[in-house]
Amino acid sequence: MTEPRKRVLLAKPRGYCAGVDRAVQTVEEALKLYGAPVYVRKQIVHNKHVVNTLEARGAIFVEENYEVPEGATVVFSAHGVAPEVHEQARERNLKAIDATCPLVTKVHHEAKRFAAEDYDILLIGHEGHEEVIGTSGEAPAHIQLVDGPDDVDNVVVRDPAKVVWLSQTTLSVDETMETVARLKTRLPLLQSPPSDDICYATSNRQHVIKEIAPDCDVVIVVGSTNSSNSVRLVEVALGAGARAGHLVDYASEIKDEWLEGATTVGVSSGASVPDDLVMEVLAHLASRGFGEVTEYTTAEERLTFSLPQELRRDMKAAAAAKAS
């Protein structure tokens, strides 16, 4: 009897998005330009491997600005910060470089605009997530969190005709739309954001996982447990028909029993995961008989973001000084 064919369906797009690439590069360039240590408030992106790698190069990760020595350089993470964090940095005379993803900054601008027009803002997101804390800080008196469809019944607004929803950029697209649908049954005049808040990379990664999941005995997503978009990928895979789904930081975490009886394994990675970690997973699977890899592509991503202006200005000045 012949062995059933074992194969891997590799999702594309996967891994680094433009905002993560920009944030990681910001810390790398800051270390080159200013020298170590460079302080980073919170994890620059939610990935254990990336944080460990940057620490080894001289980045020091802190939770709050008061842990940064006065006058030192601090980078704010890709998830965004509340205005009070900028104020704290000024008070401590810190050289602040804001690596907030431009797509998160867009949601901050929307929050400020709707608050200025005295709207109630329903922010769909996960309680305690750094991005939610940062966005809420833009207009705390106007924003209330809606943590998924089951939280809709707790919503209270002043004027049902002046209410808008915004969202965290890394949510499940389907769950967010379910939350919005439930909100609209209670608040028929609920307005939507001017453009989609869930970022293109989150949507793209969920879309391709949905496409391959029904054919997969198991889906392995490379990503960290505190990465919202990585956790969502496992949920989306299971919801779309994968028989099992697991989140791993490294190939070494894959358990042989996950692969027992499996013929098709799906592989993807969260938006803050370098692709060499995915290649290690593929090598691990190949060593267990899953050598046939088919890349399944549903979108091409070409978006890039320029580095923060504070950093670009200093890089330009340093280059000019070197040339003179």
Side-chain angles (χ1 to χ4, degrees):
M1 191 171 138
T2 55
E3 277 271 306
R5 184 173 127 233
K6 292 182 175 181
R7 61 177 185 153
V8 173
L9 296 180
L10 179 61
K12 186 181 176 184
R14 63 178 179 276
Y16 269 17
C17 62
V20 164
D21 198 29
R22 172 185 188 262
V24 174
Q25 210 183 329
T26 295
V27 179
E28 290 171 344
E29 292 296 338
L31 283 165
K32 273 190 235 169
L33 188 62
Y34 310 121
V38 165
Y39 292 84
V40 184
R41 184 184 177 276
K42 308 288 186 185
Q43 291 191 1
I44 185 70
V45 296
H46 286 155
N47 184 263
K48 194 189 288 185
H49 177 77
V50 170
V51 168
N52 291 345
T53 303
L54 291 172
E55 271 181 335
R57 292 185 192 174
I60 296 176
F61 290 87
V62 298
E63 283 299 303
E64 297 298 346
N65 284 338
Y66 66 77
E67 299 170 66
V68 182
E70 289 215 18
T73 298
V74 64
V75 178
F76 296 147
S77 82
H79 308 103
V81 296
E84 66 185 25
V85 175
H86 288 281
E87 187 54 45
Q88 291 161 1
R90 281 190 288 272
E91 285 168 6
R92 293 185 63 76
N93 195 29
L94 302 180
K95 181 179 185 60
I97 298 169
D98 190 354
T100 300
C101 172
L103 299 176
V104 174
T105 301
K106 176 182 82 75
V107 182
H108 281 226
H109 289 323
E110 289 169 355
K112 284 190 282 193
R113 180 163 76 80
F114 283 110
E117 294 171 14
D118 202 30
Y119 274 75
D120 278 332
I121 300 164
L122 306 180
L123 178 61
I124 301 172
H126 295 302
E127 189 162 4
H129 191 279
E130 283 154 50
E131 191 187 318
V132 163
I133 293 167
T135 303
S136 299
E138 293 288 1
H142 289 264
I143 292 175
Q144 58 184 300
L145 181 66
V146 184
D147 196 341
D150 296 338
D151 203 18
V152 168
D153 291 342
N154 300 320
V155 168
V156 180
V157 299
R158 293 168 300 157
D159 179 357
K162 270 197 103 168
V163 58
V164 63
W165 70 271
L166 303 176
S167 87
Q168 185 181 326
T169 63
T170 55
L171 300 180
S172 155
V173 177
D174 290 344
E175 187 179 299
T176 302
M177 289 302 101
E178 186 191 335
T179 306
V180 171
R182 284 213 202 172
L183 284 168
K184 283 187 170 170
T185 59
R186 287 197 58 204
L187 301 161
L189 299 178
L190 177 70
Q191 291 188 36
S192 298
S195 61
D196 200 353
D197 283 348
I198 295 178
C199 94
Y200 76 96
T202 298
S203 302
N204 286 347
R205 279 149 193 70
Q206 288 177 19
H207 179 67
V208 66
I209 271 286
K210 267 192 199 175
E211 293 284 314
I212 65 173
D215 295 326
C216 295
D217 299 301
V218 58
V219 168
I220 293 169
V221 174
V222 187
S224 294
T225 51
N226 65 336
S227 163
S228 174
N229 76 86
S230 300
V231 173
R232 298 293 85 72
L233 282 177
V234 178
E235 293 172 358
V236 168
L238 292 169
R243 261 68 82 203
H246 302 280
L247 185 66
V248 300
D249 269 296
Y250 298 103
S252 57
E253 296 169 16
I254 297 170
K255 295 179 179 170
D256 284 340
E257 57 258 37
W258 296 350
L259 307 174
E260 278 173 20
T263 55
T264 302
V265 178
V267 174
S268 186
S269 58
S272 45
V273 177
D275 213 42
D276 53 351
L277 297 183
V278 177
M279 295 306 117
E280 287 170 16
V281 165
L282 294 181
H284 179 96
L285 291 171
S287 72
R288 280 148 180 82
F290 293 86
E292 182 190 320
V293 179
T294 304
E295 192 167 56
Y296 194 100
T297 306
T298 55
E300 293 291 341
E301 293 179 350
R302 295 190 178 87
L303 185 66
T304 57
F305 294 129
S306 55
L307 292 169
Q309 59 182 13
E310 312 93 334
L311 183 59
R312 275 184 287 140
R313 190 174 53 234
D314 287 358
M315 287 168 77
K316 200 173 171 182
K322 202 173 177 184
S324 62

